[in-house]
Amino acid sequence: MGDKSAYLIIENLTKKFGDFTALEDISLEVFEGEFVCFLGPSGCGKTTLLRAIAGLDIQTFGRIEQAGRDISRLPPSERDFGIVFQSYALFPNLTVDRNVAYGIENRKTPKPEINAKVAELLQLVGMPEQGDKYPAQLSGGQQQRVALARALATAPGLLLLDEPLSALDAKVRARLRREIKDLQLKLGVTTIMVTHDQEEALTMADRIVIINEGVIEQVGTPEDIYIRPASPFVADFVGTMNFLPGTAGTQGHVKLDGIELATNSSTNDVGPDEPITICIRPEDVVTRGVTKDTDNAVPAVVDALEFLGSFYRISLHTQGPARTGFRADFSINLMRDLDISEGRDVVVSFPADLIRVYGEAFTHSDETV
Amino acid sequence: MTGTAALATGLEVKEKVSREDWIMRGVLLAIALFLSVSILLPLYSLMSKGFQDKDGNFTGFANFSEFFATPALTYSIFNSLTITLWTSGIVLVLAFTFAYGLTRSCMPFKSLFKGIALVPILMPSLLPAISLVYFFGKQGIISSWLFGYEIYGPIGIVMGEVIYVFPHALTIMLIAMAMSDARLYEASEALGASKIKTFFTVTLPGMRYGLVSAFFVTFTLVITDFGVPKVLGGKYNVLATDVYKQVVGRQDFEMGAVVSMVLLVPAVLAFFADRIVQRKQVAMVSTKAVPYVPQPSKGFDMAMLGFCSLLGFIILSILGMAFFASFAKFWPYNLTLGLNHYQFDLMDGGSWASYFNSIELATWTAIVGTVMIFVGAYLVEKSKGFRTGRAAMQFLCIMPMAVPGLVLGLAYIFFFNHPDNPLGFLYHTMPILVICTVTHFYTVSHLTAVTALKQMDPEFESVSASLKVPFYKTFRRVTVPVCVPAILDISMYLFVNAMTTVSAVVFLYSPDTTLASVAVLNMDDAGDTAPAAAMGMMIVFTAAGVRLLHAILTRGLARRTQAWRKR
Ligand SMILES: Nc1ncnc2c1ncn2[C@@H]1O[C@H](COP(=O)(O)OP(=O)(O)O)[C@@H](O)[C@H]1O
Ligand SMILES: [Mg+2]
């Protein structure tokens, strides 16, 4: 992002509710025109951070700068942002037109100009000709479009979205996801969206900020986050991951149930034979064309098959004394070609560049093998 | 950098207070100031009066010693508790059964019965008492039914109070029953429990907060009510009538202050107990309950219909008797109908002017009260920061509920009639009656407003701030229109109560500002019972008219706004 300037700078931001620290020492830069997602489990502090940026709930410590202006102490009315909530928060007694016009009507704009602007905005969010309806007469998805139009009406420098899609059903959500992203690209408005849905973040964001228990775990592009998760938490939270107990081997190597595996992941900070966690995503486990002589080959036994539509998720365990369990995603034609079934021996490989190694032992939260 | 480094370098961020915040705080403070003057300071005056002698010298607990050394006075405590507990017990059983019939049976005419049950709300509590005199008094039509007992005394008081508080208890019971969860009943039935067993294991436990709450409300209303014992007390003294007698009869203000402080104790205790219970009940219903749909059951439905019909008949007879007595020329000798009792200007203690004064008072109370209470509730709920100010305001808004009307009225005498009070010019004017009445009925209205405001999306204010629209514009364009039903409810509540109330204003009216409800009291006192009933009926007609108007407005509004209100 070297070619862009930091539009929003957050420095050492801490938010306390009484004795409870909801956010601790958050520092972050958001660049002009960027789409940033705050991603994390429910209750981790995403909304709190967004509300601090908006000035709706001012931080306890720390500084926020927007477009070169220190806004740390300013009330929301003196900041420059538009906001959309999960609940839509449309004014129920005003028509769609009046909702969208709400912010511009206050600015002494001539009436025809307001109406033209409203029509343009409704066109933009894909809701032309619906201006006379009341919010209660619209579907959830339509209401959220109106809320978006209302937030954009005053042409804010920063668009804040707090779980805008969470209340919608899956189909509408996927469609609006794309539309919001297109709209953001078209308008180039710097946008921060809060979500707990990793798919939403991965598909929409230029950069993702992973938050856990009030602390930033990682900031990076979706690819960064997915391929090079900076911590076991991120690895676990985004996508599916095998967490396998192992020990450190010689430089660039780790040991899993007696088998030495080469890895590109750094193992510098742990001494030989110290316990470590070896991570590999199920979809990165290879078996086609793998023999005992392939690099990083792991002989294993198939325990169970789970059909997940477009692929199978296979549970296996290693053949050494530890019988370490792990999962692999195999395509349907691979299953057919190699005739994989319960109880069969297979040899798989963990590609060295796709293995992640973490220095600590880690037990991940859900879905045990 | 670590968290501690941030703590070390940065001081706590203090939000800049915007111009809008200052406006909000200013208005909030103004209302808080009003309540301080209208309840806090008068109460303080009252309290200090209790510790002074006639010349204003501090005497410590001397007045209290005198009170407790006067058997006639202490006996009133016992009497008050006796009638209050009897009334509460009877009302709870009646209201529970009535509510049970309305919600759990398939009997017909439910809304009619509910309407009839709420009729006593339209009466000053003096009126059912007067009506009882026509039934059970010396010349009453069924006085023999009391087996030789007198209507003037505890029996009469309990009967009158039961009618007076019945609608209040019923309303609470209905809400509590509506909140109970049908799934529990289905589960109980699925487990094969009998109807009786279900009643004791599901219905009653589910109602416990409602029952307790109804008990406390009944308790407070009865122990502080003055209308019924005034008419039917006879030689049976209770605390409420003692206050009146000490002040109006004997002009012993110090002893009046002492008795009213004694009266304040149970009222305040009941108030706090009720608040605790209410909080628990709210916690209980936070999960979504499925409303219960009763199944027809012939015997049970008929029994419930019978019970509700009987109670409905009694309430209507009470009203009907007052109605009839007000038109009967000379009870019980000449029962032809006429309007002679409505010629108030010919009576001692009553006049048409007092009726119109009451209308004026009710109108002002409704207008001033609704605006102030709704704005106050809005600011308490929606203003930002200013934590102590808002907490203090919240306390001031809830406080009036704990203060009985008689106590409030007496406190006003001490406060506003004090020679050093710059607000003394208000004494004996219409404005002081308005201030007193608004304050007296502040809490219920405030809670109604708060409930309505809490149902609105809390982010409306956030959105309008982000759009740079000042809060007062959003208040006018969104908050008020959305809350119109609650606003109408509040103004009707204030109007009707201002028409019917006696307790606070009885100490505050002047010859120029006599009121209809006080006229009922004074005419009854003077032995003009029929004209008293007639004036009482004028109050009922007016209150009923306002209720009708409210119903029409609400319905019309519902039709006009159905496009955007959620069905
Ligand atoms: N007004 C508040 N008072 C006290 N605690 C709060 C408040 N708002 C949020 N919290 C707490 O702060 C934490 C973060 O909340 P939030 O930012 O809403 O989480 P999320 O990431 O789900 O949006 C939660 O533990 C929540 O309980
Ligand atoms: Mg949130």
Side-chain angles (χ1 to χ4, degrees):
Chain A
M1 301 284 162
D3 56 329
K4 284 180 175 172
S5 53
Y7 176 74
L8 184 75
I9 303 170
I10 298 167
E11 281 173 3
N12 309 111
L13 185 143
T14 294
K15 172 74 186 180
K16 290 176 180 250
F17 293 110
D19 288 338
F20 173 70
T21 306
L23 291 173
E24 188 162 354
D25 202 27
I26 301 280
S27 293
L28 180 70
E29 295 193 346
V30 177
F31 300 99
E32 183 125 33
E34 207 181 8
F35 194 124
V36 168
C37 275
F38 294 167
L39 176 65
S42 156
C44 70
K46 308 177 295 288
T47 297
T48 307
L49 182 53
L50 197 78
R51 292 179 73 86
I53 294 171
L56 295 169
D57 263 311
I58 290 221
Q59 70 276 14
T60 320
F61 302 106
R63 222 176 137 264
I64 304 179
E65 193 182 301
Q66 181 181 359
R69 187 167 70 120
D70 185 344
I71 58 167
S72 312
R73 293 182 57 226
L74 298 185
S77 53
E78 294 177 29
R79 300 188 185 200
D80 176 22
F81 70 97
I83 192 160
V84 173
F85 295 98
Q86 182 180 345
S87 63
Y88 323 130
L90 292 176
F91 304 124
N93 61 320
L94 304 181
T95 59
V96 166
D97 274 344
R98 299 276 68 80
N99 262 284
V100 175
Y102 202 78
I104 21 184
E105 279 174 347
N106 196 41
R107 301 187 165 184
K108 301 198 175 75
T109 321
K111 200 137 197 162
E113 211 169 298
I114 294 177
N115 292 341
K117 178 90 186 153
V118 168
E120 181 196 327
L121 283 158
L122 285 176
Q123 179 81 41
L124 196 65
V125 297
M127 288 209 34
E129 322 277 312
Q130 310 251 34
D132 292 335
K133 291 190 175 164
Y134 286 101
Q137 297 166 320
L138 302 178
S139 71
Q142 289 174 318
Q143 290 189 54
Q144 202 54 297
R145 288 162 198 263
V146 177
L148 195 62
R150 181 179 63 181
L152 291 169
T154 51
L158 181 63
L159 180 62
L160 303 176
L161 312 168
D162 191 354
E163 310 240 6
L165 306 176
S166 298
L168 306 173
D169 58 47
K171 268 230 172 80
V172 181
R173 198 154 62 204
R175 216 171 109 198
L176 257 180
R177 201 188 274 169
R178 230 179 12 256
E179 289 187 17
I180 292 178
K181 178 67 194 172
D182 291 348
L183 192 63
Q184 191 267 339
L185 278 175
K186 189 162 152 192
L187 301 176
V189 56
T190 311
T191 302
I192 299 177
M193 181 171 93
V194 161
T195 178
H196 65 268
D197 180 341
Q198 44 159 313
E199 209 179 308
E200 218 165 274
L202 290 169
T203 52
M204 294 174 82
D206 295 324
R207 280 194 308 152
I208 296 176
V209 178
I210 306 267
I211 303 177
N212 182 32
E213 296 188 346
V215 183
I216 293 185
E217 290 269 342
Q218 186 174 4
V219 182
T221 63
E223 294 80 11
D224 266 344
I225 302 273
Y226 196 83
I227 299 169
R228 284 173 294 278
S231 66
F233 172 81
V234 178
D236 190 29
F237 189 72
V238 181
T240 333
M241 184 66 93
N242 288 301
F243 289 86
L244 309 174
T247 50
T250 54
Q251 184 62 32
H253 288 80
V254 290
K255 269 193 237 157
L256 173 70
D257 195 14
I259 304 163
E260 182 137 301
L261 302 172
T263 172
N264 297 358
S265 183
S266 157
T267 58
N268 290 342
D269 48 344
V270 277
D273 293 328
E274 276 188 46
I276 44 135
T277 301
I278 303 167
C279 289
I280 179 102
R281 297 212 182 266
E283 69 264 28
D284 291 339
V285 177
V286 187
T287 188
R288 199 188 284 274
V290 173
T291 68
K292 283 202 163 49
D293 303 323
T294 311
D295 289 344
N296 283 0
V298 178
V301 181
V302 175
D303 290 324
L305 315 176
E306 188 186 359
F307 180 55
L308 290 178
S310 52
F311 63 91
Y312 280 87
R313 177 152 294 168
I314 318 293
S315 303
L316 311 99
H317 66 260
T318 56
Q319 292 183 357
R323 299 168 63 87
T324 309
F326 64 97
R327 289 164 299 172
D329 291 348
F330 292 160
S331 69
I332 292 169
N333 69 48
L334 180 107
M335 299 288 288
R336 206 181 310 118
D337 294 350
L338 301 188
D339 190 21
I340 288 171
S341 58
E342 276 175 37
R344 285 269 320 248
D345 288 358
V346 289
V347 182
V348 300
S349 160
F350 297 170
D353 55 339
L354 297 176
I355 291 178
R356 304 282 306 168
V357 176
Y358 298 103
E360 63 236 72
F362 177 76
T363 42
H364 64 127
S365 49
D366 53 349
E367 289 188 304
T368 37
V369 179
Chain B
M1 224 190 254
T2 65
T4 38
L7 298 190
T9 53
L11 288 169
E12 191 158 326
V13 180
K14 276 196 90 137
E15 179 166 7
K16 182 183 154 197
V17 183
S18 67
R19 196 178 66 97
E20 286 181 40
D21 289 330
W22 283 122
I23 298 175
M24 285 186 155
R25 289 173 191 195
V27 178
L28 198 62
L29 271 180
I31 297 176
L33 203 66
F34 170 89
L35 282 172
S36 305
V37 170
S38 77
I39 188 152
L40 217 51
L41 296 179
L43 272 188
Y44 174 78
S45 294
L46 174 87
M47 303 252 175
S48 44
K49 202 77 179 175
F51 298 97
Q52 289 171 0
D53 65 14
K54 290 210 172 3
D55 303 322
N57 303 312
F58 181 77
T59 54
F61 284 94
N63 292 332
F64 289 86
S65 315
E66 191 190 330
F67 171 84
F68 286 105
T70 314
L73 289 176
T74 47
Y75 215 69
S76 297
I77 298 181
F78 175 76
N79 287 349
S80 271
L81 287 175
T82 307
I83 57 144
T84 303
L85 291 175
W86 271 104
T87 308
S88 301
I90 294 169
V91 160
L92 285 196
V93 172
L94 295 181
F96 181 90
T97 315
F98 204 95
Y100 197 76
L102 289 184
T103 54
R104 297 298 149 83
S105 82
C106 287
M107 69 179 209
F109 312 122
K110 281 184 187 172
S111 44
L112 175 69
F113 280 115
K114 195 174 157 196
I116 293 174
L118 296 182
V119 160
I121 287 190
L122 307 176
M123 311 177 184
S125 63
L126 294 154
L127 194 60
I130 289 174
S131 210
L132 284 173
V133 171
Y134 281 101
F135 277 109
F136 300 106
K138 292 192 181 65
Q139 297 173 328
I141 50 171
I142 49 171
S143 42
S144 59
W145 291 20
L146 287 179
F147 304 109
Y149 286 101
E150 243 203 338
I151 188 72
Y152 297 100
I155 296 178
I157 299 178
V158 170
M159 283 164 74
E161 298 287 13
V162 165
I163 291 159
Y164 165 55
V165 297
F166 179 74
H168 300 273
L170 178 69
T171 310
I172 296 171
M173 299 273 190
L174 283 175
I175 292 169
M177 283 199 187
M179 283 192 298
S180 68
D181 196 335
R183 286 170 299 191
L184 291 175
Y185 291 85
E186 281 158 16
S188 178
E189 256 163 52
L191 292 172
S194 67
K195 252 200 144 93
I196 305 231
K197 185 156 185 210
T198 306
F199 179 83
F200 282 104
T201 54
V202 178
T203 312
L204 268 186
M207 286 287 298
R208 64 185 180 277
Y209 294 127
L211 281 167
V212 174
S213 186
F215 171 78
F216 285 126
V217 167
T218 317
F219 184 93
T220 315
L221 279 173
V222 176
I223 205 162
T224 62
D225 177 53
F226 152 77
V228 176
K230 179 76 191 58
V231 175
L232 293 174
K235 292 188 193 66
Y236 193 82
N237 289 328
V238 295
L239 287 171
T241 44
D242 279 354
V243 176
Y244 183 75
K245 279 181 198 154
Q246 292 296 332
V247 173
V248 174
R250 302 187 44 204
Q251 299 281 313
D252 185 345
F253 291 99
E254 289 69 27
M255 192 47 72
V258 169
V259 182
S260 56
M261 278 160 78
V262 172
L263 187 58
L264 199 54
V265 172
V268 169
L269 287 182
F271 167 80
F272 279 110
D274 185 47
R275 300 275 312 159
I276 293 167
V277 171
Q278 293 269 344
R279 209 159 290 162
K280 290 213 165 129
Q281 169 146 11
V282 170
M284 195 173 69
V285 296
S286 53
T287 53
K288 245 194 161 33
V290 178
Y292 179 82
V293 181
Q295 298 299 317
S297 152
K298 200 147 196 202
F300 174 68
D301 292 348
M302 290 311 286
M304 281 299 148
L305 180 64
F307 176 82
C308 292
S309 303
L310 182 66
L311 271 196
F313 176 74
I314 292 173
I315 291 171
L316 286 184
S317 329
I318 294 288
L319 180 70
M321 179 56 91
F323 183 79
F324 179 71
S326 75
F327 287 107
K329 278 204 172 126
F330 189 38
W331 179 279
Y333 307 106
N334 178 358
L335 295 183
T336 51
L337 303 183
L339 284 172
N340 56 330
H341 300 310
Y342 284 81
Q343 292 170 330
F344 301 122
D345 291 335
L346 306 179
M347 316 286 166
D348 277 348
S351 68
W352 275 101
S354 48
Y355 173 72
F356 291 111
N357 283 337
S358 267
I359 299 275
E360 191 184 339
L361 168 66
T363 309
W364 279 114
T365 302
I367 294 171
V368 175
T370 307
V371 171
M372 182 159 70
I373 292 167
F374 190 76
V375 170
Y378 171 83
L379 293 174
V380 168
E381 282 301 302
K382 308 283 178 181
S383 63
K384 292 195 351 176
F386 200 44
R387 293 269 283 280
T388 0
R390 273 160 58 201
M393 176 69 184
Q394 206 137 21
F395 175 76
L396 283 173
C397 293
I398 300 297
M399 198 172 152
M401 181 122 108
V403 180
L406 275 176
V407 179
L408 189 68
L410 187 55
Y412 271 42
I413 298 185
F414 296 142
F415 180 66
F416 286 99
N417 200 26
H418 195 283
D420 298 336
N421 189 338
L423 295 171
F425 66 90
L426 287 172
Y427 196 62
H428 275 169
T429 62
M430 183 55 83
I432 200 176
L433 292 174
V434 175
I435 293 172
C436 175
T437 312
V438 168
T439 308
H440 188 184
F441 299 106
Y442 200 101
T443 307
V444 172
S445 315
H446 172 76
L447 295 176
T448 308
V450 166
T451 308
L453 288 166
K454 274 197 196 304
Q455 282 166 358
M456 299 196 14
D457 194 317
E459 307 301 2
F460 285 166
E461 282 69 31
S462 310
V463 166
S464 41
S466 82
L467 295 172
K468 318 276 183 290
V469 178
F471 79 92
Y472 42 84
K473 277 201 178 161
T474 304
F475 178 75
R476 184 169 55 76
R477 283 196 64 191
V478 180
T479 314
V480 170
V482 171
C483 290
V484 163
I487 292 173
L488 284 178
D489 285 353
I490 293 172
S491 45
M492 184 200 67
Y493 170 85
L494 288 174
F495 189 97
V496 169
N497 275 294
M499 283 302 293
T500 58
T501 188
V502 196
S503 56
V505 291
V506 75
F507 292 132
L508 298 176
Y509 70 92
S510 71
D512 292 335
T513 55
T514 55
L515 296 172
S517 53
V518 178
V520 177
L521 174 81
N522 287 341
M523 288 191 284
D524 179 72
D525 227 16
D528 291 331
T529 318
M535 186 63 97
M537 283 316 295
M538 284 311 298
I539 294 175
V540 173
F541 293 142
T542 312
V546 168
R547 263 205 103 96
L548 194 69
L549 185 69
H550 171 264
I552 292 168
L553 280 179
T554 308
R555 188 162 299 180
L557 189 80
R559 197 168 327 113
R560 270 191 42 205
T561 61
Q562 67 178 355
W564 58 267
R565 273 189 207 282
K566 296 213 179 68
R567 282 137 289 214

